[in-house]
Amino acid sequence: MNVTKRIGRPRTFDYDTALTNAMTVFWEKGYDGASMRDLTAAMGITGPSLYAAYGDKSELYLKTVDHYSASDACTPLVVLESEEDIEKALQAFLCEVIDSATGHKSGEKGCYITSSAIASTGQVDGLEERVRSIIGEAENRLTARFQKEIDKGTLPADFPARARASMLFDLRQGYMFRARAGGLKEEMLKDVPDRIRLLLSK
């Protein structure tokens, strides 16, 4: 007996591009304010296609948070980890944060996690745990970067790596908040050298 395997219809849209467009809608309108009509229009797909590829609205929202965390939010961490000199690494990190906060390709200001996701933690199951995990992973990577300098001997053995990692993360969030409030890139960049001295102070 011949058995014909049924093959599903291939996607006619780019998964990541559509997800980025959905993120822009959520970022602008919030979770509650973004309707399914808004989302499908921005993503360029039908309702059934959205459900088939991303799940329901809450699942789509979680996927946008994961997408942002794995791409935009990671870029400053990648440049921090890639630069061997710690002062240059911190400068690259903070400059990348400011650049992202003031010139994101979506046109939005600040950080998607702190601007949108935090406000929706009570509305989307699993979001609060996701945000905590993102923060924890970021602080662990920041701590590891300072610890690398301790191991190399460029920072003293008693340097408070974890505390400075938390400070650096909070500086990132502060820049994101200032950008959201209309802060200018040029003004924020002026602060970077002083922030680096503070972070590396004994």
Side-chain angles (χ1 to χ4, degrees):
M1 182 175 69
N2 292 328
V3 177
T4 302
K5 183 179 287 187
R6 182 173 296 174
I7 300 174
R9 181 181 298 175
R11 288 177 186 155
T12 58
F13 62 93
D14 183 270
Y15 184 92
D16 287 339
T17 299
L19 195 58
T20 298
N21 291 341
M23 181 186 75
T24 300
V25 174
F26 283 128
W27 202 336
E28 178 185 352
K29 298 191 173 187
Y31 179 76
D32 273 346
S35 68
M36 293 301 290
R37 184 188 296 267
D38 295 328
L39 292 165
T40 54
M43 297 168 78
I45 60 178
T46 64
S49 292
L50 187 155
Y51 283 109
Y54 305 97
D56 62 17
K57 182 180 176 182
S58 64
E59 290 175 304
L60 172 63
Y61 190 75
L62 292 175
K63 285 181 171 65
T64 65
V65 170
D66 291 341
H67 181 66
Y68 181 86
S69 176
S71 52
D72 302 70
C74 271
T75 303
L77 290 168
V78 171
V79 299
L80 179 78
E81 293 165 340
S82 301
E83 174 58 59
E84 284 300 315
D85 182 272
I86 185 61
E87 290 191 28
K88 291 180 180 178
L90 290 170
Q91 180 177 4
F93 176 90
L94 293 172
C95 288
E96 184 64 40
V97 164
I98 292 168
D99 187 59
S100 175
T102 57
H104 193 271
K105 58 183 176 289
S106 70
E108 296 298 324
K109 302 287 188 179
C111 170
Y112 183 55
I113 304 298
T114 54
S115 299
S116 178
I118 291 294
S120 305
T121 53
Q123 302 164 286
V124 182
D125 288 341
L127 181 58
E128 183 174 353
E129 294 81 0
R130 234 181 195 83
V131 171
R132 286 181 181 175
S133 177
I134 291 168
I135 293 171
E137 180 183 355
E139 290 199 343
N140 286 340
R141 290 174 69 175
L142 295 173
T143 301
R145 184 63 186 85
F146 285 120
Q147 186 60 50
K148 179 180 177 180
E149 297 302 313
I150 296 172
D151 296 340
K152 286 164 54 178
T154 53
L155 289 176
D158 61 349
F159 185 84
R162 173 63 68 172
R164 295 302 165 82
S166 295
M167 181 186 294
L168 182 54
F169 183 84
D170 290 344
L171 281 173
R172 175 192 182 277
Q173 300 311 101
Y175 279 127
M176 291 293 182
F177 180 80
R178 288 169 65 184
R180 187 74 172 173
L184 298 177
K185 178 179 178 178
E186 294 74 17
E187 291 299 316
M188 288 188 274
L189 286 172
K190 290 178 183 178
D191 297 335
V192 168
D194 287 337
R195 300 293 189 264
I196 294 172
R197 282 192 287 272
L198 178 63
L199 287 161
L200 296 177
S201 60
K202 309 296 189 289

